[in-house]
Amino acid sequence: MAGLLPRVLTVFSGLILCISLSGCGDDRPEKIAQYQQLSQQRITQLGAMLDAGELRNATLLKQYTQLLKSSKPDLVPLLDELAKDAGTTGPMFQSLKRRTSELSDSANFIDLDQQLEEAQNIYQAADPSLYNDMLSDPVNVVADLSGGQLARVNSISREAAALANGSEDFGAGSQLVGNPSYGSWQTNSSGMSFWAWYGMYSMFSNIMNPVRYDRWSNNRGYSYYNDVGRYRYTSPKQASAQNRTYENTKKTFNSQGKQFNSPYAKSRTGSTSLSRQSTSAPKASTTGTRSASSSKFRSTYSKDSSFRNSSSRTTRGVRRGK
């Protein structure tokens, strides 16, 4: 009997520890698989809506690029490339598909927390209302290319934004700088980082001055991606690359006795009429940071079972032109 009590206490202690560890099981892999399945469903739905012309900003992007072709024939290849974002062949949509596919391989992530974080971000990024807001950047790029003939959407005017933020006008196309779907930060032989466009987007180099990271960081203007959407439209690998550029630039400045702040340390103003999903999004400055998952995903999509209902509500909201 004397030896029984210690054994009972040991078993009891083990049970208490087991309960404290979420029932002796890790439900993160199951959650990741669920979010991946839901994301695939939502991306399929989003693709169908784009093909059917049910996203207002996608429709505007098609119309804007078509209208501008006649007055600026030299920009036709670039406008055709920008118009792809109005459908399923654009870099933003393809990025969501690629990120969803990469969820299956845990080797793509530091740990399960990061993998689950990415799964939830993709699911939310594929929401039609959020994606419609994301398309405001390429729409406004085309609007700026028109020289003011076409109106911006979900954003104050180019002049008002520059005045409100004290920002530098890097030229039409600056909303896409920093967005890894359109280019990346490259470092030259002198150790300075500059923005390098992908593919046909390199035509922006003909209408914009070269954009150096340090100058852009201190003087950038408002864009949806950099100030609202970055948290959900950036993969962990992309966030790591952005952070490396920041750390290397900061190190260079520190060696010269100068201070350097992250381009995301301070949000710029300029958004208008964004959806509820966007206005409740985490700050762009938190992208790539690590914290408890339970504190990072307080959103309208916290319950998997609500996917169908929330999707139908979102669809109606987008059709009304949110």
Side-chain angles (χ1 to χ4, degrees):
M1 198 67 176
L4 180 61
L5 183 58
R7 287 198 298 272
V8 170
L9 290 176
T10 299
V11 171
F12 182 74
S13 298
L15 288 173
I16 295 298
L17 178 61
C18 195
I19 292 172
S20 68
L21 293 175
S22 302
C24 293
D26 191 341
D27 64 350
R28 287 175 297 176
E30 182 181 357
K31 286 183 177 180
I32 292 167
Q34 289 174 347
Y35 270 107
Q36 184 174 30
Q37 181 180 6
L38 291 170
S39 294
Q40 289 170 340
Q41 294 173 6
R42 178 165 275 183
I43 289 172
T44 298
Q45 179 203 33
L46 177 62
M49 292 179 68
L50 287 168
D51 290 338
E54 295 180 352
L55 265 67
R56 178 176 181 270
N57 286 341
T59 300
L60 281 176
L61 184 56
K62 288 181 181 179
Q63 294 173 346
Y64 275 21
T65 52
Q66 194 62 36
L67 286 170
L68 201 56
K69 282 183 183 181
S70 58
S71 61
K72 294 187 179 292
D74 55 320
L75 294 179
V76 167
L78 177 59
L79 293 170
D80 284 340
E81 199 70 17
L82 289 167
K84 290 181 179 179
D85 270 322
T88 58
T89 60
M92 293 304 304
F93 188 85
Q94 290 300 313
S95 175
L96 290 180
K97 290 182 64 177
R98 182 176 61 255
R99 289 168 62 189
T100 303
S101 177
E102 291 174 348
L103 276 175
S104 302
D105 189 356
S106 59
N108 291 321
F109 307 94
I110 295 175
D111 53 29
L112 284 174
D113 283 337
Q114 188 185 65
Q115 191 175 1
L116 177 58
E117 178 181 320
E118 170 72 342
Q120 292 171 308
N121 275 338
I122 296 170
Y123 174 63
Q124 294 170 11
D127 176 271
S129 284
L130 209 65
Y131 195 85
N132 183 65
D133 287 342
M134 184 68 233
L135 291 178
S136 64
D137 276 348
V139 170
N140 291 334
V141 166
V142 180
D144 291 349
L145 286 170
S146 76
Q149 295 180 3
L150 300 171
R152 282 187 169 196
V153 297
N154 302 126
S155 173
I156 59 179
S157 70
R158 187 173 179 178
E159 296 75 18
L163 183 63
N165 297 299
S167 57
E168 179 179 345
D169 189 347
F170 290 96
S174 60
Q175 294 95 327
L176 304 183
V177 174
N179 188 326
S181 288
Y182 304 96
S184 63
W185 295 108
Q186 302 291 325
T187 304
N188 58 24
S189 57
S190 63
M192 299 304 299
S193 296
F194 62 95
W195 183 250
W197 297 97
Y198 294 145
M200 196 59 68
Y201 300 112
S202 61
M203 288 187 67
F204 279 118
S205 300
N206 299 328
I207 54 180
M208 294 177 63
N209 293 324
V211 181
R212 273 184 22 177
Y213 180 76
D214 56 336
R215 190 178 184 92
W216 176 82
S217 177
N218 292 324
N219 301 285
R220 71 172 181 85
Y222 166 83
S223 74
Y224 179 85
Y225 171 79
N226 287 309
D227 293 293
V228 184
R230 179 171 172 261
Y231 184 87
R232 289 172 178 151
Y233 289 95
T234 309
S235 71
K237 290 181 180 179
Q238 292 167 339
S240 294
Q242 292 174 347
N243 190 58
R244 283 195 300 272
T245 301
Y246 162 64
E247 292 294 343
N248 291 338
T249 306
K250 182 181 179 181
K251 184 177 180 180
T252 299
F253 269 64
N254 288 345
S255 67
Q256 299 171 355
K258 301 177 182 179
Q259 184 178 0
F260 181 77
N261 295 318
S262 166
Y264 307 108
K266 178 183 177 182
S267 294
R268 273 57 167 178
T269 59
S271 62
T272 62
S273 305
L274 294 179
S275 66
R276 174 172 50 84
Q277 287 86 338
S278 285
T279 54
S280 63
K283 292 182 179 179
S285 60
T286 63
T287 304
T289 58
R290 303 301 308 279
S291 63
S293 295
S294 59
S295 67
K296 297 188 74 172
F297 299 102
R298 296 186 297 270
S299 76
T300 56
Y301 313 117
S302 58
K303 296 182 179 180
D304 295 347
S305 60
S306 67
F307 170 76
R308 186 180 301 274
N309 292 333
S310 67
S311 294
S312 63
R313 288 194 299 271
T314 299
T315 300
R316 291 194 293 271
V318 173
R319 285 173 176 166
R320 285 195 298 268
K322 273 203 170 188

